[in-house]
Amino acid sequence: MSNSLLIGLYGGTFDPIHKGHCHLIQQLLNRQIVDELVVTPVGNPWMREQTPFASGEDRLAMVKLAVVDLPKDIQPRVKVSDSEVRRGGSTYSIDTVLELRAEKPDAEIVLILGSDAYSSIGKWHRSAELLELVRVFIVAREGVGFDIDALAISSTMIREKILTKIDVSAELPESVWSYIKERNLYASK
Ligand code: ATP
Ligand code: MG
């Protein structure tokens, strides 16, 4: 085993970020699975059928708010990256990994994926090359992977609830819920 710094790269649409994501972040750090985590909202997820509902700027802002709401002991180990939102064009994880490697050449990058996201990795852009550059850590959501007692929350479920005016305040960090209400996000299709 090498003793290089383990940096987790945790990407997602985060449309919006929710307590299931935050629980995952805390588990990764509390269990020392990674030393640091870079949370990276995707710019344009080319593999998804639908473009995100909220803009890159809003999704990024919500991720930043959620990180501020994390327990103070782990917060310093979590960074939020705007690199994918800023890059423009289709987002490819390989580009993000190459950027991170250039910034931190001595670290090992651990790609954090829920079991659902992992199932499609073979179809990702330059996936073979990507898999040569990183370790992959699979978190069980509904499926195989490392068991973190994942919370049964998804962004899709949250968006649908907001649309139909069902209370979601328990499923989101408070600051994120305030942000959504202020900007009236997800209130119409
Ligand atoms: P959507 O319903 O729009 O797909 P989502 O809740 O799956 O949203 P994503 O932004 O797609 O959120 O997820 C980002 C990453 O977090 C993915 O790797 C996904 O598997 C993982 N993830 C999402 N929700 C959870 C959860 N409740 N517990 C553990 N992992 C999760
Ligand atoms: Mg998803």
Side-chain angles (χ1 to χ4, degrees):
M1 276 293 275
S2 71
N3 47 15
S4 44
L5 188 77
L6 291 179
I7 301 188
L9 175 59
Y10 181 37
T13 315
F14 302 120
D15 193 18
I17 191 165
H18 53 66
K19 282 191 180 169
H21 297 130
C22 298
H23 174 75
L24 166 62
I25 293 170
Q26 290 181 62
Q27 291 285 311
L28 293 171
L29 293 166
N30 287 336
R31 292 173 187 251
Q32 315 283 352
I33 290 162
V34 293
D35 299 307
E36 291 176 12
L37 202 57
V38 183
V39 186
T40 312
V42 70
N44 299 303
W46 66 283
M47 283 195 24
R48 289 205 163 209
E49 281 164 25
Q50 260 172 337
T51 53
F53 292 82
S55 68
E57 288 69 26
D58 281 335
R59 290 180 293 107
L60 181 66
M62 291 188 279
V63 169
K64 286 182 177 167
L65 289 170
V67 167
V68 173
D69 271 357
L70 288 171
K72 294 285 167 277
D73 57 324
I74 63 163
Q75 219 188 87
R77 295 159 66 198
V78 185
K79 306 271 175 296
V80 179
S81 167
D82 64 357
S83 76
E84 294 190 353
V85 166
R86 211 171 8 92
R87 200 181 298 136
S90 294
T91 298
Y92 301 121
S93 297
I94 181 83
D95 297 332
T96 312
V97 166
L98 290 172
E99 260 181 49
L100 199 53
R101 261 168 69 96
E103 267 170 48
K104 310 244 183 182
D106 298 327
E108 265 202 69
I109 301 175
V110 184
L111 199 60
I112 308 296
L113 294 171
S115 41
D116 57 316
Y118 176 70
S119 64
S120 65
I121 200 167
K123 293 187 219 141
W124 290 17
H125 186 59
R126 289 158 68 188
S127 67
E129 191 184 344
L130 174 69
L131 292 170
E132 295 265 303
L133 296 174
V134 297
R135 292 199 214 169
V136 178
F137 189 84
I138 306 163
V139 173
R141 208 173 161 190
E142 282 162 23
V144 289
F146 187 86
D147 187 4
I148 56 151
D149 281 325
L151 306 183
I153 304 176
S154 76
S155 302
T156 302
M157 183 183 95
I158 287 177
R159 290 192 305 268
E160 275 165 15
K161 284 187 177 175
I162 295 174
L163 196 64
T164 51
K165 301 195 169 19
I166 296 172
D167 182 23
V168 288
S169 56
E171 288 149 356
L172 297 167
E174 216 176 297
S175 53
V176 172
W177 180 220
S178 300
Y179 187 95
I180 290 173
K181 283 186 290 185
E182 266 164 35
R183 309 203 173 217
N184 215 17
L185 300 179
Y186 311 115
S188 58
K189 270 203 177 165

